[in-house]
Amino acid sequence: MAIENLNAFLYDYFDAHNCQILNNQNGVLQVKLTEEIDKVLMNRPFYWHYIKNMGREGDTATLNLITNPDKRDEKGEWIHFGSPRLQQILKSVVKNERYTKLFQSDNSGKKSALYPWLVVNIRISYQGKQNKDEIVSFGLHLIKGLMYKDMMEKLDSITLKPAIDDYCYTITPIIKMSSGFHRIEKVLDSYINNQTHDWADESLQTLNEETALVKHFYTSSADEEENNEHMEQEINDIRQRYSPKVSYSVINGGIFYLMDDFH
């Protein structure tokens, strides 16, 4: 995910939770939290317990989140994939907002059909010598079978609501949800396989080098039986640490009913 996308993800998260966006320029997002999100992100239960017992209105935190590498030395939190704050937000999304149903708004006053899309946000985890996460989104038209990657970016330009507008009606899906997920998985597998995996080659090289060093150390010692046991344990630890792995998990998703001219 590019820096702009990460910034947009953070903006959308806080905006959806009615937090006040104080500033959003050049990869620096300043936001005033609501009480609800303060309790989720700031980990200060004793403060809120005290405030409630006193019958007072609490002062919520203001966050300054930086996603632009050129600005990372400025005052604030440097946010990147793997950073604790981002992981905290993603866990919050997974826990509280795993599935949704939204409808495109239509102010035309005409009778309009809305077509079903399966939209899924997925976190890809690359694990090896260096770990990183990537967030991708897919949208599958549950009638035509059309699929888009970076679906959330395409949805930025339209207005979505939790309730359907008057005069609008929904079209019943033809593609079943299970089949839709399977199609997205196949495209996701292809996306991962078509990448260059220099990180995996580097991880394997480090694994082989570390394994060779351990073997050299233990084979030069006297107590062979005891050393073999320790050597195998250390080699197993090295394999666990450096063996390259790719896994992915669904962050959230839902059914989005959109107009036929959406593209």
Side-chain angles (χ1 to χ4, degrees), residues 126-131 197-214 234-246:
Y126 303 87
Q127 298 168 281
K129 183 179 179 180
Q130 294 183 341
N131 298 332
H197 293 293
D198 295 339
W199 64 275
D201 295 335
E202 185 180 341
S203 294
L204 287 173
Q205 181 179 346
T206 301
L207 186 154
N208 292 332
E209 291 172 353
E210 294 285 332
T211 300
L213 284 173
V214 169
E234 287 197 32
I235 290 176
N236 185 60
D237 290 343
I238 291 170
R239 289 195 186 108
Q240 292 292 324
R241 194 179 319 133
Y242 294 119
S243 293
K245 297 181 286 290
V246 180

Side-chain angles (χ1 to χ4, degrees), residues 115-173:
Y115 293 80
W117 289 75
L118 172 62
V119 179
V120 184
N121 293 313
I122 297 170
R123 176 169 55 211
I124 308 173
S125 296
Y126 303 87
Q127 298 168 281
K129 183 179 179 180
Q130 294 183 341
N131 298 332
K132 70 171 184 176
D133 288 344
E134 179 184 13
I135 297 175
V136 294
S137 63
F138 290 94
L140 172 67
H141 198 303
L142 292 179
I143 294 176
K144 299 179 180 178
L146 177 67
M147 189 183 301
Y148 288 135
K149 182 177 170 291
D150 300 323
M151 183 66 173
M152 296 305 295
E153 292 182 31
K154 294 182 178 296
L155 292 171
D156 279 345
S157 60
I158 67 175
T159 301
L160 295 166
K161 299 169 63 175
I164 192 169
D165 283 341
D166 294 337
Y167 303 109
C168 291
Y169 61 96
T170 59
I171 303 297
T172 303

Side-chain angles (χ1 to χ4, degrees), residues 54-112:
M54 295 292 291
R56 296 167 53 189
E57 184 175 339
D59 183 20
T60 61
T62 297
L63 295 181
N64 207 49
L65 306 176
I66 302 168
T67 57
N68 184 345
D70 296 334
K71 302 284 186 177
R72 63 184 301 176
D73 293 329
E74 294 186 5
K75 186 177 180 180
E77 293 186 48
W78 165 234
I79 304 295
H80 57 90
F81 293 107
S83 64
R85 179 69 74 195
L86 181 60
Q87 296 305 311
Q88 186 185 35
I89 291 172
L90 289 174
K91 287 179 181 178
S92 164
V93 171
V94 170
K95 181 179 179 181
N96 300 312
E97 303 167 48
R98 197 167 181 85
Y99 179 84
T100 189
K101 182 187 289 185
L102 295 172
F103 304 86
Q104 184 172 355
S105 181
D106 178 21
N107 297 318
S108 68
K110 299 177 181 179
K111 194 171 184 180
S112 302

